[in-house]
Amino acid sequence: MASENVISPGGLAPSKHYHRQNTAVTISTLPAETVSGSGKLRCPLCPNLSARSQERKRHVHLHLPCCVFCPEQDCLWRGDRKDTLQGHLGRKHGISGKFDKAHYIYDAKELVTKLIDGDITLSEATKRAKTGVYAKAEAVETAKAVEWKRDFRGPKRKVLE
């Protein structure tokens, strides 16, 4: 049986507990690929299991701050997928059209890949994402910049560090 560690703000420490919000998270020291015998892909940050690689990437992304935003004036909406943004634009603003890469706040795909591969810690990924959010906030309108700096993660994000 694999040993377990807890990711906590102070670093790694042995534990067998799992907490979702603003506290420690128990993870297995097994590689993030599969859970023995199940064929499921394990999140490297929490106990979540996914049947497909894309599902795991989408899940891991939920541990990071929002990475896309609504370009409409005075709209503070942020999310984590371009298709979700397109749905928001259609529902809330009656706009349909192509997704513009200018609507990205930062490159989350790179950070998700590095997290899954074990090349970066959640703390470092969050720090890089936060830097991206703050940099993009400088380039957008004042109301968005104020909101993003107040809450760099965005709405309903999992806080695990």
Side-chain angles (χ1 to χ4, degrees), residues 8 12 37 42 48 64 66-67 70 79 85 101 104 108 120-121 125-126 133 138 140-141 145 148 156 158:
S8 65
L12 293 176
R42 187 180 58 77
N48 182 272
L64 295 172
C66 295
C67 68
C70 179
L85 170 60
K101 290 189 178 191
Y104 276 116
I120 192 171
T121 65
T126 301
V133 170
E138 296 300 321
V140 298
E141 64 189 75
W148 293 6
K156 300 178 187 170
K158 294 180 180 182

Side-chain angles (χ1 to χ4, degrees), residues 5-160:
N5 292 321
V6 158
I7 296 177
S8 65
L12 293 176
S15 178
K16 293 189 180 188
H17 300 286
Y18 172 70
H19 308 283
R20 275 193 181 261
Q21 204 78 27
N22 295 321
T23 57
V25 179
T26 301
I27 61 170
S28 171
T29 56
L30 290 170
E33 285 309 306
T34 60
V35 173
S36 180
S38 73
K40 299 274 187 174
L41 299 169
R42 187 180 58 77
C43 173
L45 305 170
C46 74
N48 182 272
L49 299 176
S50 302
R52 299 180 314 138
S53 175
Q54 184 61 33
E55 290 172 9
R56 178 175 60 177
K57 288 177 184 174
R58 286 180 179 170
H59 167 79
V60 170
H61 191 181
L62 294 175
H63 294 291
L64 295 172
C66 295
C67 68
V68 295
F69 71 100
C70 179
E72 289 298 296
Q73 187 77 18
D74 299 325
C75 182
L76 299 177
W77 183 92
R78 286 182 282 166
D80 58 349
R81 295 174 44 193
K82 65 183 181 180
D83 59 331
T84 308
L85 170 60
Q86 289 170 321
H88 163 79
L89 288 170
R91 281 187 312 278
K92 298 292 183 182
H93 305 294
I95 300 170
S96 62
K98 231 176 167 181
F99 178 79
D100 186 336
K101 290 189 178 191
H103 301 145
Y104 276 116
I105 300 171
Y106 69 93
D107 183 4
K109 285 184 181 182
E110 175 189 6
L111 295 178
V112 167
T113 299
K114 287 179 184 261
L115 282 166
I116 289 172
D117 292 344
D119 295 338
I120 192 171
T121 65
L122 177 59
S123 179
E124 180 61 27
T126 301
K127 186 186 305 182
R128 290 184 188 183
K130 184 177 183 179
T131 300
V133 170
Y134 281 23
K136 189 71 170 193
E138 296 300 321
V140 298
E141 64 189 75
T142 307
K144 288 181 189 196
V146 168
E147 175 63 17
W148 293 6
K149 287 181 178 180
R150 185 190 66 74
D151 178 13
F152 79 93
R153 290 183 177 279
K156 300 178 187 170
R157 305 313 281 186
K158 294 180 180 182
V159 179
L160 297 178

